Amino acid sequence: MGRDAFVEWEQRFGHGETGVLGRLHAAAARRERISASDLHVIAEEVRRPVAAVTGAAGFYADFAGPRGTRHVRICAGTSCFVSAGGHTMPLAEAALGVEPGHASADGSTSLAGVYCLGYCYASPTALDGHTPITGPALGDRLLSADHPVAPAPAIPYRVAGRRAVTLAGLTGAEDAWQVWPHLVTNGSPDAVRAEVAIAGLRGRGGAEFPVVQKWEAVRGPAPRFVVANGDEGDPGSFCDRLLLESDPHRVLEGLALAGFAVGANRGVVFVRSEYPVAVGRMQAAVEAARAAGHFGAGVHGSSFDFDVEIVEGAGSYVAGEETALLHALQGFRGSVRPRPPYPTEYGLAGQPTVVNNVETLAAVPWVLRHGGTAYARLGTPVETGTKLVCLSQRFRNPGVYEVEFGVPLRYLVETLGGGLKPGYRLRALQVGGPLGGFLSPDDLDVPLLAEALAEAGVALGHGSLVAIDDGITARELLRHVWSFAAAESCGACTPCRVGTRRGRELAACFPTSSEKVLSQQEKLLDVMSTGSLCAFGRGVPGSVRSLLRVYRDELLAGER
């Protein structure tokens, strides 16, 4: 598959424009739908073909349907699905008198579904404009929109390891911007990379790729870019939202240090639109950092220039994949492209680009302040350091926990999580989001290590743990997984685009001819895992297979 023609056109004749999504958001806010005249105006402003802007507007969920004066988004993510049994959207539809994907006749109200809003610890959840509504009785609370709504609970968090690393700022252990001023004036990129190499820091977004290897892979002339991936779309994960909203300066300091390490003078933070508070706080933090002299020309009297901008996403799970994210940043369709070339050689605007996850960047200041050796003492020799793990609403103690690699899942589920709330029994544990997979309660002695989890048939992913109780049937859960996959496939390759839809159809066939359906599904999973372009299409089969393994007897027996 070749590169997107419009992307290549831009890289030959354009200037790496990153304001397209912002312009589309502004147009969507002005009226119920983005009009043809809006698209022509934006295309003229950014000097692109109208078809390129139209394609982007049609790709992202935020622009796909009509938008009323009051726009309500209902979460259909896994934790909300488990906590509400899939009834949240019908209740919202009845309360508002609007069908999903539509607006009321007078244009006052619109309703849409999304697959995560980052409130998995307090699900089910809706976002009424920018106001989160969490907990049971969502329908009644949506009806009372003219009355004050109780604020959503803050994200609970706790450090359960020996040291606070990523959560050091939130716990008061240390402030941001303690490393950057000294290092940018007296340090060197080589020294930064060497310390991170000693630490053994790996990417925390799911790939677990060694950070320093990615940094050292940057090749090619300036300009170079560093990008913070804040498109935390995995249902079940909300640790990036915690960092973006509550410790934005630590994320920015980590991004600046990454820029210094690779010789990039420009940074971009991509924040998903489902996190409106995070968008605002990151923008405010950038302005404050500029005012303090952390960004700009000749930072802190050095010869290094560095500045940052915030780009708001527009509703696409696949845009979290780094090549799709770079397309989204430039206002193109968030489709995955083949690699090589990798972004470190051919990224934003065709220039060398490093993309690091928010959690990864938030750990960098600690590593450089305390030393790579101190970080490497945490965790295990193979997987060093700490990981933020998110526990969903069904646990007695939901929230974000910073733990060291190597702790058993049983410790996370039973000790930190406290088991499930009264009245519920654990039937399965979803690890690492929709592409991670499912384990049975008998598998909880597996350690929190990427290799050990892979051997157990799941992926670490973002580090989320969603408890599935025995009130959710196997058929319901299987349909939920396939529905998510079909809705979020970017459509760039046929195995994933067609395969996810076929999987959804097969899931609806249970319990009829269960053995035959399982056989057909297995063939489909083989095609997807072999032929899909990116980790999404290749990850769905692993997740489905793990679900079939945990629930096989129930699926063959039919509904209970």
Side-chain angles (χ1 to χ4, degrees), residues 319-356:
E321 193 276 341
E322 62 179 8
T323 62
L325 182 144
L326 295 174
H327 285 171
L329 280 176
Q330 297 172 94
F332 296 109
R333 295 169 60 88
S335 299
V336 176
R337 71 162 171 80
R339 295 176 293 179
Y342 292 90
T344 49
E345 299 177 62
Y346 192 89
L348 189 62
Q351 299 299 124
T353 304
V354 165
V355 181
N356 286 135

Side-chain angles (χ1 to χ4, degrees), residues 156-412:
Y157 60 87
R158 173 186 162 191
V159 176
R162 286 172 286 175
R163 300 290 298 271
V165 176
T166 313
L167 297 183
L170 291 176
T171 61
E174 57 188 55
D175 295 329
W177 302 117
Q178 300 300 301
V179 176
W180 175 240
H182 172 76
L183 193 145
V184 75
T185 54
N186 299 295
S188 71
D190 288 343
V192 172
R193 295 195 300 270
E195 211 62 52
V196 173
I198 292 170
L201 180 64
R202 292 173 178 265
R204 297 293 185 246
E208 284 279 300
F209 191 80
V211 171
V212 77
Q213 287 188 28
K214 181 178 282 192
W215 288 359
E216 290 177 343
V218 172
R219 295 185 179 88
R224 296 175 176 181
F225 302 92
V226 284
V227 175
N229 185 348
D231 194 49
E232 181 184 43
D234 276 346
S237 182
F238 44 93
C239 57
D240 286 359
R241 183 171 80 81
L242 174 66
L243 294 170
L244 291 166
E245 292 182 2
S246 302
D247 203 4
H249 285 281
R250 183 166 301 275
V251 176
L252 292 177
E253 185 177 19
L255 184 65
L257 291 165
F260 184 73
V262 304
N265 300 115
R266 182 179 171 192
V268 184
V269 183
F270 187 83
V271 185
R272 62 195 305 252
S273 63
E274 293 87 348
Y275 292 175
V277 173
V279 173
R281 290 185 181 172
M282 289 303 300
Q283 289 173 334
V286 168
E287 293 171 4
R290 286 199 193 106
H294 299 311
F295 298 156
V299 176
H300 292 299
S302 70
S303 60
F304 187 69
D305 303 337
F306 190 76
D307 209 348
V308 174
E309 67 174 310
I310 307 299
V311 175
E312 181 181 4
S316 169
Y317 175 85
V318 176
E321 193 276 341
E322 62 179 8
T323 62
L325 182 144
L326 295 174
H327 285 171
L329 280 176
Q330 297 172 94
F332 296 109
R333 295 169 60 88
S335 299
V336 176
R337 71 162 171 80
R339 295 176 293 179
Y342 292 90
T344 49
E345 299 177 62
Y346 192 89
L348 189 62
Q351 299 299 124
T353 304
V354 165
V355 181
N356 286 135
N357 163 260
V358 162
E359 184 185 342
T360 308
L361 293 170
V364 172
W366 194 98
V367 170
L368 295 175
R369 184 175 187 181
H370 298 275
T373 300
Y375 185 86
R377 290 195 189 105
L378 304 173
T380 73
V382 176
E383 293 187 53
T384 61
T386 65
K387 179 75 185 79
L388 298 185
V389 176
C390 302
L391 302 187
S392 69
Q393 180 268 349
R394 272 292 187 257
F395 288 100
R396 289 177 184 263
N397 307 312
V400 174
Y401 294 86
E402 183 169 9
V403 301
E404 294 181 38
F405 276 106
V407 299
L409 295 184
R410 192 174 302 279
Y411 169 73
L412 298 171

Side-chain angles (χ1 to χ4, degrees), residues 460-545:
L460 173 62
H462 233 98
S464 60
L465 300 182
V466 177
I468 314 295
D469 64 74
D470 56 1
I472 303 298
T473 68
R475 183 185 179 189
E476 289 171 334
L477 186 59
L478 183 61
R479 292 180 66 180
H480 168 75
V481 171
W482 277 118
S483 294
F484 167 83
E488 296 294 355
S489 172
C490 76
C493 65
T494 301
C496 182
R497 181 181 66 253
V498 177
T500 53
R501 295 172 185 172
R502 178 57 179 156
R504 184 175 56 188
E505 292 171 357
L506 289 173
C509 294
F510 286 101
T512 306
S513 305
S514 297
E515 285 279 12
K516 181 179 179 182
V517 173
L518 284 175
S519 176
Q520 291 176 324
Q521 195 153 229
E522 188 58 39
K523 294 177 182 178
L524 173 65
L525 298 176
D526 284 340
V527 172
M528 289 184 62
S529 59
T530 302
S532 294
L533 179 62
C534 80
F536 182 87
R538 296 192 300 269
V540 170
S543 178
V544 172
R545 283 190 172 109

